[in-house]
Amino acid sequence: LLIVWLIAVVIPFVGRVPGTLISLSITAGAVIVGIAARPLVENFIAGFVLTFSKQFHTGDTVILDKEYGTIEDITPTHTVIKLWDWRRYIVPNSGMLSKEVINLSTRESYLWAKIEFYVSHDADIDEVERIAVGIAKESPYLVGTEDPRLWVMVMEKEAIKCWLAMWVGSPPDAWSMRTEVGRRVVGELNKRGIHAHAYLHSPVD
């Protein structure tokens, strides 16, 4: 309404206004409108690129800004990500192109899942391997032809860091397998007296 009013006021005086001033006014207006519309145009172009480059698809599981979720919708200006706790993370399409995004759905046939845990230096690593690998083999989420593997990663001052690596079919299965296998491994190690650290107790007088 303000623009219409200004046009109505200015039209009778257009003939008296120098052409240079009119050109400068139009140029300044175009610059202001361009600056104001830049985010919209930028996100619209990014949405076009996302759609036709097929970098992401609806249903893809992604990690963005340390948030884990599933792409629910890709609109011309923004992308909606459904987070693991059912919140919605709204990301401008320009952000989807400029940020580092881990797409867990763009992968080989199987997905690698691992559990990181510690055992004390006096633990029998062979026994730890038999327990952890044996439990992983019994998991219904295990897929592929390669058996689970236990790796000794780092021998730290107070404990030994171990990785239990397994193959699963999807990100939800990876989460479920880590939870199920991890709980069983902890229980079995405790039952066998294998602890995460070797605690030193001073003698009691």
Side-chain angles (χ1 to χ4, degrees), residues 155-166:
M155 298 182 65
E156 299 182 357
K157 182 177 179 180
E158 296 182 351
I160 300 173
K161 180 193 289 188
C162 300
W163 277 13
L164 177 60
M166 305 157 288

Side-chain angles (χ1 to χ4, degrees), residues 52-164:
F52 287 93
S53 66
K54 298 182 180 180
Q55 296 183 40
F56 305 102
H57 302 84
T58 301
D60 283 358
T61 302
V62 298
I63 298 177
L64 172 65
D65 295 334
K66 298 183 180 180
E67 296 286 358
Y68 172 92
T70 303
I71 295 179
E72 191 173 55
D73 191 18
I74 301 176
T75 74
T77 58
H78 63 272
T79 299
V80 182
I81 300 177
K82 180 181 178 182
L83 301 182
W84 64 274
D85 57 0
W86 290 70
R87 291 179 296 140
R88 264 52 176 189
Y89 192 35
I90 312 299
V91 184
N93 286 332
S94 58
M96 294 294 294
L97 289 179
S98 61
K99 295 182 179 180
E100 294 182 359
V101 183
I102 300 176
N103 191 339
L104 299 176
S105 299
T106 304
R107 53 183 174 80
E108 300 295 334
S109 301
Y110 303 126
L111 182 66
W112 189 56
K114 71 176 178 66
I115 298 174
E116 181 180 298
F117 62 97
Y118 292 82
V119 295
S120 62
H121 284 279
D122 59 0
D124 186 341
I125 294 298
D126 291 335
E127 183 180 9
V128 172
E129 182 178 20
R130 283 193 298 270
I131 293 171
V133 172
I135 292 174
K137 284 183 177 180
E138 296 174 358
S139 174
Y141 302 104
L142 182 68
V143 296
T145 58
E146 187 175 343
D147 288 338
R149 297 280 303 276
L150 181 77
W151 296 332
V152 174
M153 302 304 297
V154 181
M155 298 182 65
E156 299 182 357
K157 182 177 179 180
E158 296 182 351
I160 300 173
K161 180 193 289 188
C162 300
W163 277 13
L164 177 60

